[in-house]
Amino acid sequence: MKMPEQPRSRRQTRAAILTHLLQSGGSFRPPLAKAVRLSEASLSRILFDLKAEGLIEEVRRPAPYVGGPTGLVSLDRSVALAALELTGDRLSVGIGSLSGELHYTERLPLPAKPTVESVGQVFHEALTLLRDWTRRRRIRLAQIGVSVPGLGRLSEFGNPIIPCDVACIREMIDETFAGAPVEFTNSVVAHAIFHRCRTENYPFSGAHLFVFVGQGVAGAWMDDPIEDDALQPVELGHMVFGADGPLCRCGHHGCVEAYTSLPALAALLCMREAELLQLGSEWVNTIPISSRVRQELRQRLFRLGLAIGNTLNVKPCRGVAISGWPSLLDEDDRKAVVEGIDACLLGGRKLAQVSLAFMPPSTGNDPRAALAFAAFCLASRGGMPAASTEAA
C-alpha cells in the first residue's frame, strides 16, 4: 500500500508501522523499514517507544537468510480489544487481541421485530457481560469497535436496516468503559478490514473497491490506511434496475440487493433464509440447482456486475475484491459478474485494466470483523490517545 509523501507526523509514522504489522502479521526490521520508508535507525527509535508502551513485541525467529535479522517484530498479543457486531438476527460481542484471537464471545439474539428500545436493551445486556468479564480479569480495553449494518456514511444517523440509536449506544459504552476509545462503522467497512488484515495473500495492496454480498450488498473504497478517508462505504446495493422488480428493504423496487442478497438467494432457492444461513458455505454442495434457477442466478449476478461497473465509472480503480456467496460458485457462474462489469460504459475491466478477485464469505464468524475494525482503529491512530493531535 502506498505511503504518503514526507514529511509525516509522528502519529502517521507510528500508524504506518502498526498498520503494516497488522496487515502482515509481523516483520523483520529491514523489510519493515523499507515498507514504511524509514531508515533503520529511525525505525529503531520508534520501535523502542512502541515496545515501551506495550503495543509491539519482538521475538527471536530463524533468520530469513544467512546473516539476516533474527528479531521478528509483531503486535503485542496482550493488548485487549472489545468488539460488538450487529447482524440481522443477533448482537455478537467479544474480547480479543490485535492479532485477531478471540478470548471471550457471546451471541445475544435480537427480538423477532426489533425496535430502537429493544435493540438498545440487547446492547445494555451485552455491555454488562463484557464489563463483568473484563473486571474479573482486571483487563483494560485499548479500543472498542462497533459494527452496525446500514450505518450512515458521513454520520451516525439514518440506519434503515436494524433500528438502533447509535448516539444512545455510544453513551452506554462510555458509561460502562470510561476512557476506552470507541469507534462505530458500517458492516461493510468492518468486513473489508477483516479481509485486508486477516486474509493470507490478500490480492490488493493499493486503492481498490471491496464488495460485500451478504444479507445486504454494499461496497467500500479502500486506500492508504493512515489517511482519514481511507475507508468509505458505498451503497451500491441500492441501484435500481427496474421499478417493477422485487421489493427491497430500503422501500424501493428492483434494487440490486433485492436480487442478489442472501435473503433474495434463499427465496430463489425456495427455502428460508435461516435454513440457508445454517448450511453456511456448504449450500452450494447440498442444494440442487435446476437449469432454470441457474439461468436466473446468472442473470442476477450479471446485475451485480453492472452495479459494480457503474460504481467504477464514478470512481475508477484498478482492483475489485468480492466477498460473499458468489465466491462459492464455480467459475462459469461467477463469469456472469465479470460480464456485467464489462457491459458497463467506459469499457468495463478491459479499458480500465481492473483486476477482479473473489474472496471467501466472512459472514457467520462474528464478531471477528468488528474485532479487526477495533485493531485497525488503534493502529491507524498510531496507538496514541484518540484525542491526540500531536504532530512531528
Side-chain angles (χ1 to χ4, degrees):
M1 195 166 283
K2 64 181 177 62
M3 289 291 112
E5 295 298 324
Q6 298 284 4
R8 290 181 287 182
S9 69
R10 180 166 175 261
R11 181 196 67 81
Q12 287 179 318
T13 304
R14 288 164 57 107
I17 294 169
L18 293 176
T19 53
H20 182 80
L21 294 175
L22 180 64
Q23 294 171 353
S24 65
S27 176
F28 292 101
R29 290 195 178 204
L32 177 58
K34 182 178 180 180
V36 299
R37 296 175 56 219
L38 289 173
S39 68
E40 290 195 38
S42 297
L43 177 68
S44 294
R45 289 193 294 270
I46 299 172
L47 293 183
F48 179 84
D49 291 340
L50 294 174
K51 194 180 298 183
E53 295 168 24
L55 292 170
I56 65 168
E57 58 185 6
E58 194 166 9
V59 296
R60 293 292 177 185
R61 287 287 187 273
Y65 49 86
V66 176
T70 58
L72 182 71
V73 182
S74 60
L75 299 172
D76 196 311
R77 294 176 181 268
S78 66
V79 176
L81 313 169
L84 296 93
E85 189 167 336
L86 192 61
T87 65
D89 62 350
R90 63 178 178 254
L91 173 64
S92 298
V93 298
I95 305 293
S97 68
L98 284 167
S99 61
E101 297 171 310
L102 277 167
H103 307 309
Y104 168 71
T105 57
E106 291 283 354
R107 289 181 171 180
L108 288 74
L110 296 179
K113 294 183 179 180
T115 63
V116 170
E117 292 74 18
S118 63
V119 173
Q121 181 59 38
V122 174
F123 267 96
H124 183 270
E125 295 173 12
L127 290 171
T128 301
L129 291 172
L130 290 178
R131 180 199 62 197
D132 293 346
W133 194 87
T134 54
R135 280 184 178 177
R136 285 195 300 269
R137 291 159 180 79
R138 298 182 180 180
I139 290 175
R140 178 180 173 274
L141 296 177
Q143 179 71 52
I144 301 172
V146 188
S147 168
V148 178
L151 193 65
R153 185 163 99 175
L154 301 178
S155 71
E156 295 177 355
F157 304 100
N159 175 32
I161 299 177
I162 300 174
C164 62
D165 186 336
V166 172
C168 180
I169 293 169
R170 180 184 287 276
E171 289 179 4
M172 281 194 285
I173 296 174
D174 289 340
E175 291 175 1
T176 308
F177 297 101
V182 56
E183 293 291 344
F184 286 73
T185 193
N186 189 299
S187 295
V188 65
V189 170
H191 281 271
I193 293 173
F194 172 80
H195 279 284
R196 180 64 187 89
C197 299
R198 306 297 184 217
T199 300
E200 189 175 359
N201 300 320
Y202 188 79
F204 303 114
S205 59
H208 63 283
L209 174 66
F210 177 88
V211 178
F212 179 56
V213 187
Q215 290 184 309
V217 179
W221 297 113
M222 301 188 69
D223 207 335
D224 193 324
I226 70 172
E227 298 298 327
D228 292 337
D229 59 350
L231 295 159
Q232 299 180 34
V234 184
E235 284 290 357
L236 61 86
H238 296 294
M239 291 185 190
V240 176
F241 284 95
D244 58 344
L247 178 65
C248 181
R249 60 183 171 181
C250 72
H252 294 105
H253 288 264
C255 295
V256 66
E257 181 175 304
Y259 289 105
T260 59
S261 64
L262 277 173
L265 174 64
L268 178 63
L269 299 175
C270 299
M271 61 190 306
R272 293 186 298 110
E273 182 187 354
E275 295 173 333
L276 182 62
L277 290 173
Q278 189 172 12
L279 288 173
S281 300
E282 286 302 309
W283 72 266
V284 291
N285 300 317
T286 57
I287 300 176
I289 301 178
S290 66
S291 58
R292 181 192 64 80
V293 171
R294 189 172 298 278
Q295 183 179 4
E296 173 64 22
L297 190 67
R298 291 179 178 178
Q299 289 176 350
R300 296 186 178 197
L301 291 172
F302 182 84
R303 288 190 178 97
L304 174 64
L306 280 175
I308 294 172
N310 286 329
T311 304
L312 294 176
N313 286 343
V314 174
K315 185 177 180 179
C317 65
R318 294 297 182 89
V320 178
I322 301 176
S323 171
W325 65 264
S327 64
L328 301 173
L329 303 174
D330 59 34
E331 187 176 354
D332 287 341
D333 292 326
R334 294 202 308 259
K335 194 181 298 182
V337 179
V338 179
E339 292 170 351
I341 296 175
D342 289 345
C344 290
L345 297 178
L346 306 183
R349 292 176 311 122
K350 295 178 182 178
L351 185 61
Q353 297 181 330
V354 176
S355 298
L356 189 65
F358 286 89
M359 313 300 298
S362 49
T363 51
N365 64 3
D366 41 305
R368 293 186 182 276
L371 181 64
F373 171 67
F376 176 84
C377 290
L378 179 64
S380 61
R381 69 167 191 272
M384 300 172 73
S388 175
T389 58
E390 181 177 354

